[in-house]
Amino acid sequence: MSISLNYLRRKNFAIYGLGVTGNSVIEYFQKNGFKNFVVWDDDTEVFKKTVGPKYKSKRDNFLQLVNFADYIVLSPGIKIEEAKLKKILLKNKSKIITDLDLFYLLNPDIKSIVVTGTNGKSTTCKIIEHVLKKNNINVGLGGNIGSPILKLNLKKKPLIVIEASSFQLAYSKFVKPSYAVILNITKDHLDWHGSMNNYIKSKLKIFSLQEKDDFAFINNKKLLKKFKKNNYISKIKFINNKKYEKIKKKIQNDYLNLEANKENMSFVYTLSKIFKIKEKYFIKSLKSFKGLKHRHEVFSHKNNRIFINDSKATSFAASRFALNNNKNILWIVGGLPKIGDKFLLDGVKKNIIKAYIIGNHTGHFKKFLKGKINFKLCKTLNNAVNSIYVDIKNLRERKITVLLSPASASYDQFKNFGDRGKKFKKLIEIYNKKHF
């Protein structure tokens, strides 16, 4: 669907939610002459801090004008059923779009790679961007990673890599990638989506508007069956890990050679073939790739102790990667648990010496760990780190991995997973100076 900028300027908009995404929409509207819009946030303090008095009138007029809006731009993460103005949103649900929809409406000819999935999205997007840049392909990166999509300068970026969350896709209507990637789907955000079926539906949207010359990347037979059942028409690229395994040993990058990255790398390798990147250049380009912060981030080595910040692991499936790829682990776990998430420790519990449970829901995690691995209730991150350094004294002759991989959301004690990871790294820095 192609809509001109002038056409959209004449339309009425309501922007609901004034976080990073909502503010990027306002900024875009300001720069491009959009005048017919009203704004709202359920939290008046957020409104004051992020938007301020300049748009007070637009907020005051929201209730009066929202029903006349042609489009309601909803920020990702807002659950309609829990919003203050849920009746209005439900009444106007057909008008709801996202910033991703605006991006595609305004740039119908843009070439894009959209990556979604439960785990590994950010890392995969960064690897794709890195490989393409190293092979002289002009590419930008945005969406749920880096800059909000409407802040990207597209004049110099004919190809865009987009990380899309299930929150963004749930209400999207116009997302149309040239290359659509679903990495994996495990139980996550079920409290928001309501069911696993709804969660999967949100992910599958990246294929729904694709055309015959577009590509769909899948590595799951159940998803492949759903793809065919929905009569999607793009070219299927079913990911075979064995093809990547043949060249894995040639890649000189310890981070990328972790078992946790095998799935991500298999997708990137398959994509590189579509872009006709020769194997030797693909391998060469990966040598300089560095991992992302808070995602299996090895940030310190001290006296045969390895310290890993994996704060981004907000489900057990995400933590399992780190638990599977390390030995003699002192594991910090806990936080705000995900509904339906189960701790399947078979195959990894042998790698764990002890767990240190933090957060306001210690009973939840105790239930899964009791009788399976040794653990201690610590409640706070500070207590956990302190307990670890006490225990380390009795483990001098072994190579130890101190791992923060909470298998839960951070909001019970921290602003976000980044805040949690930063505080962990700071505590380790303090304790290492004191003890080593």
Side-chain angles (χ1 to χ4, degrees):
M1 183 176 183
S2 177
I3 294 178
S4 71
L5 183 61
N6 285 331
Y7 174 84
L8 280 177
R9 281 196 190 107
R10 296 193 294 269
K11 294 297 179 180
N12 297 312
F13 288 86
I15 302 170
Y16 200 119
L18 301 175
V20 174
T21 301
N23 278 283
S24 72
V25 176
I26 290 174
E27 188 178 322
Y28 182 87
F29 282 0
Q30 283 178 316
K31 287 181 178 178
N32 292 279
F34 286 71
K35 299 185 185 303
N36 304 322
F37 66 92
V38 288
V39 299
W40 181 270
D41 195 283
D42 287 349
D43 189 330
T44 53
E45 291 303 313
V46 169
F47 172 81
K48 288 175 185 176
K49 288 177 184 176
T50 58
V51 179
K54 187 175 181 181
Y55 290 103
K56 187 177 185 302
S57 63
K58 290 185 179 293
R59 188 182 192 278
D60 291 343
N61 291 330
F62 188 92
L63 293 173
Q64 183 181 350
L65 298 176
V66 64
N67 289 314
F68 298 99
D70 297 293
Y71 297 102
I72 299 173
V73 186
L74 193 68
S75 286
I78 292 177
K79 187 177 181 181
I80 290 178
E81 290 77 10
E82 295 176 1
K84 277 188 180 179
L85 306 183
K86 65 179 181 181
K87 288 183 179 178
I88 290 173
L89 292 177
L90 288 169
K91 178 184 174 183
N92 294 282
K93 196 171 182 179
S94 63
K95 300 176 182 178
I96 292 174
I97 62 171
T98 67
D99 62 322
L100 287 182
D101 291 317
L102 279 174
F103 172 80
Y104 279 99
L105 287 172
L106 292 161
N107 304 283
D109 299 322
I110 195 78
K111 291 287 184 183
S112 64
I113 302 167
V114 172
V115 179
T116 193
T118 306
N119 300 304
K121 297 186 293 295
S122 297
T123 299
T124 303
C125 284
K126 286 297 289 185
I127 299 170
I128 291 170
E129 181 200 30
H130 182 85
V131 168
L132 295 179
K133 279 186 174 179
K134 287 290 182 180
N135 286 280
N136 301 312
I137 296 171
N138 196 357
V139 61
L141 176 66
N144 203 42
I145 181 175
S147 299
I149 197 70
L150 293 176
K151 283 194 170 186
L152 294 179
N153 182 358
L154 301 182
K155 290 179 182 178
K156 298 179 180 179
K157 308 291 182 186
L159 174 66
I160 303 297
V161 180
I162 301 170
E163 179 187 329
S165 71
S166 59
F167 299 145
Q168 289 171 303
L169 294 172
Y171 299 125
S172 68
K173 292 178 173 67
F174 305 110
V175 173
K176 186 180 176 297
S178 315
Y179 310 88
V181 176
I182 294 185
L183 296 172
N184 49 62
I185 295 183
T186 57
K187 288 183 179 180
D188 199 10
H189 305 307
L190 299 192
D191 53 337
W192 195 94
H193 289 281
S195 69
M196 192 65 180
N197 189 48
N198 288 341
Y199 180 55
I200 292 171
K201 276 184 180 179
S202 72
K203 299 292 189 184
L204 288 170
K205 279 191 176 184
I206 62 172
F207 303 129
S208 62
L209 295 180
Q210 284 192 299
E211 297 177 0
K212 289 182 179 180
D213 291 334
D214 296 324
F215 292 88
F217 297 80
I218 302 172
N219 70 345
N220 181 295
K221 289 182 180 178
K222 287 182 180 179
L223 283 182
L224 183 62
K225 191 179 287 186
K226 287 181 180 293
F227 181 99
K228 292 177 178 178
K229 187 177 180 180
N230 287 325
N231 296 316
Y232 298 141
I233 60 172
S234 50
K235 298 175 184 176
I236 297 169
K237 287 292 177 182
F238 194 80
I239 306 303
N240 185 341
N241 290 342
K242 291 180 180 179
K243 291 182 179 179
Y244 168 67
E245 287 283 358
K246 289 180 181 179
I247 68 155
K248 182 180 176 182
K249 291 180 182 178
K250 298 178 183 178
I251 295 171
Q252 298 175 344
N253 189 311
D254 291 340
Y255 174 76
L256 293 178
N257 284 331
L258 290 169
E259 185 67 19
N261 277 315
K262 183 171 75 174
E263 182 178 60
N264 303 336
M265 288 300 299
S266 295
F267 277 95
V268 179
Y269 179 60
T270 305
L271 185 68
S272 74
K273 295 292 186 185
I274 304 295
F275 280 86
K276 297 181 179 178
I277 296 171
K278 290 184 178 179
E279 195 169 283
K280 64 178 181 179
Y281 296 123
F282 174 77
I283 293 167
K284 184 181 178 181
S285 65
L286 291 167
K287 190 175 182 179
S288 58
F289 180 81
K290 294 180 180 178
L292 298 175
K293 290 181 179 180
H294 313 300
R295 297 161 178 86
H296 206 277
E297 178 190 2
V298 180
F299 66 93
S300 181
H301 293 262
K302 284 285 182 180
N303 297 357
N304 224 21
R305 277 82 172 166
I306 299 171
F307 299 86
I308 300 175
N309 168 25
D310 194 35
S311 183
K312 182 63 170 68
T314 57
S315 66
F316 181 73
S319 289
R320 191 176 177 87
F321 287 130
L323 295 172
N324 197 45
N325 282 280
N326 295 282
K327 305 290 183 185
N328 300 325
I329 301 168
L330 301 179
W331 176 30
I332 302 174
V333 61
L336 186 64
K338 296 288 183 74
I339 289 177
D341 199 15
K342 292 183 180 179
F343 282 46
L344 304 175
L345 292 165
D346 293 346
V348 297
K349 62 182 178 183
K350 65 182 184 296
N351 296 336
I352 305 165
I353 296 173
K354 189 174 181 178
Y356 304 80
I357 304 175
I358 64 171
N360 298 334
H361 302 269
T362 54
H364 174 87
F365 297 92
K366 178 182 175 181
K367 179 179 70 176
F368 285 112
L369 303 184
K370 191 173 182 180
K372 295 177 182 176
I373 60 173
N374 188 19
F375 65 86
K376 182 176 182 179
L377 300 180
C378 296
K379 294 192 176 180
T380 69
L381 186 57
N382 198 354
N383 287 345
V385 172
N386 184 63
S387 296
I388 283 170
Y389 278 84
V390 170
D391 290 341
I392 278 176
K393 291 177 182 178
N394 300 318
L395 300 166
R396 285 179 184 170
E397 296 181 2
R398 302 169 72 178
K399 185 177 179 181
I400 302 299
T401 300
V402 177
L403 172 68
L404 170 69
S405 189
S408 56
S410 56
Y411 306 119
D412 61 332
Q413 292 185 328
F414 305 93
K415 292 177 184 176
N416 49 48
F417 72 83
D419 177 46
R420 178 168 61 187
K422 285 176 185 175
K423 286 178 179 172
F424 172 62
K425 289 167 70 175
K426 186 66 178 175
L427 282 169
I428 295 301
E429 181 186 343
I430 292 168
Y431 274 79
N432 277 345
K433 285 179 181 178
K434 193 184 295 184
H435 292 270
F436 299 125

